Amino acid sequence: MDAKPYHHGDLRQALIQAGLEATRLGGPDALRLRDLARALGVSANAVYRHFEHRDALLDAVAAEILASLAREMRMREAGQFAHDRAIQRLRSVGLAYIAFARREPGWFSVAFFGAGRDGLLATPPAPPYAALTEALDDLVREGVLSSERRSGAQWLCWSAVHGFAGLVLHGPLRHCAAPEVDRLAERTVDAIIAGVMGTVRRADARRADRGMPDAPVQRSASEPAMP
């Protein structure tokens, strides 16, 4: 590749863009400073003037990925009424998170499983976390969710969609057909929303109220067996 001149300030963004391209398919392990320098036609020393070490560039790439994920999570359909719109917003946030992980597994791994991600996600709050908390706060403003049930709900929601994404990328759901994963993703998001809002009760509690015995656990033919 021909060398390209970069003025001060341009190389940093070029390195981030090159890092995004490298990690999109290869994940965090595909980010190598010397390879990026060679591809951009600059010296290794020029790279180190902008990023002291590999993890610093990985943090910058992850920040771009998190911002992109948050933009997708904020895209939503409006319902006819305010409370419908608020619920749809939260639903779209959850489904968009899972869809991003499925579509961009390399970037998802960089954002959440690369070195140093704990600090990046904690301070300041990551854009996806902000998108989720905004959607939950919207439910409170519309009177759909009580302040009491709102407390800590972001961790329940994030745990559900993040865990589901992990099962799809690295667990037994990775072998499922896409339509089945779509269906299970919707069920997961709908179930956690219903649970957070308190609109469902445990099935065994309902059965006990009716004096019925516990129902046997059944698994559909398409459901993957646990390892």
Side-chain angles (χ1 to χ4, degrees):
M1 186 172 181
D2 295 335
K4 298 179 181 179
Y6 287 99
H7 300 294
H8 181 72
D10 296 338
L11 181 55
R12 176 183 173 83
Q13 190 56 43
L15 286 165
I16 294 173
Q17 185 59 41
L20 286 168
E21 294 173 2
T23 58
R24 188 168 198 172
L25 294 179
D29 291 342
L31 189 72
R32 302 180 182 89
L33 293 186
R34 292 189 179 278
D35 289 349
L36 296 185
R38 188 179 304 111
L40 292 173
V42 297
S43 68
N45 287 338
V47 173
Y48 288 118
R49 281 197 290 270
H50 293 276
F51 298 100
E52 293 184 53
H53 43 70
R54 175 182 175 276
D55 284 351
L57 177 55
L58 195 63
D59 281 347
V61 171
E64 292 287 331
I65 295 168
L66 289 168
S68 178
L69 170 56
R71 284 192 294 270
E72 293 196 23
M73 291 170 68
R74 286 191 170 95
M75 295 174 61
R76 59 190 184 275
E77 299 177 8
Q80 183 178 0
F81 302 104
H83 70 277
D84 293 332
R85 183 174 64 248
I87 294 172
Q88 180 60 38
R89 178 184 185 183
L90 181 58
R91 190 174 192 268
S92 296
V93 159
L95 291 175
Y97 187 97
I98 294 170
F100 185 92
R102 293 170 63 190
R103 189 179 70 252
E104 304 289 358
W107 283 352
F108 193 79
S109 294
V110 170
F112 293 104
F113 303 114
R117 295 290 75 76
D118 289 345
L120 182 67
L121 292 173
T123 308
Y129 176 88
L132 173 58
T133 57
E134 289 167 11
L136 288 165
D137 291 342
D138 203 16
L139 287 172
V140 176
R141 282 191 295 271
E142 297 299 337
V144 183
L145 181 66
S146 69
S147 297
E148 181 182 8
R149 297 196 70 86
R150 166 65 185 87
S151 178
Q154 67 271 22
W155 301 117
L156 305 180
C157 294
W158 199 347
S159 296
V161 295
H162 193 76
F164 185 88
L167 290 175
V168 173
L169 297 181
H170 308 295
L173 293 184
R174 70 186 184 278
H175 302 303
C176 285
E180 178 68 2
V181 175
D182 291 340
R183 184 182 69 83
L184 292 173
E186 291 183 357
R187 286 187 62 188
T188 298
V189 171
D190 290 342
I192 193 62
I193 291 175
V196 165
M197 295 177 62
T199 55
V200 294
R201 298 174 60 200
R202 287 173 55 98
D204 55 355
R206 291 196 300 269
R207 295 178 69 86
D209 288 346
R210 299 169 186 167
M212 300 171 62
D214 291 342
V217 177
Q218 295 180 346
R219 181 165 56 206
S220 66
S222 60
E223 183 179 348
M226 295 298 292

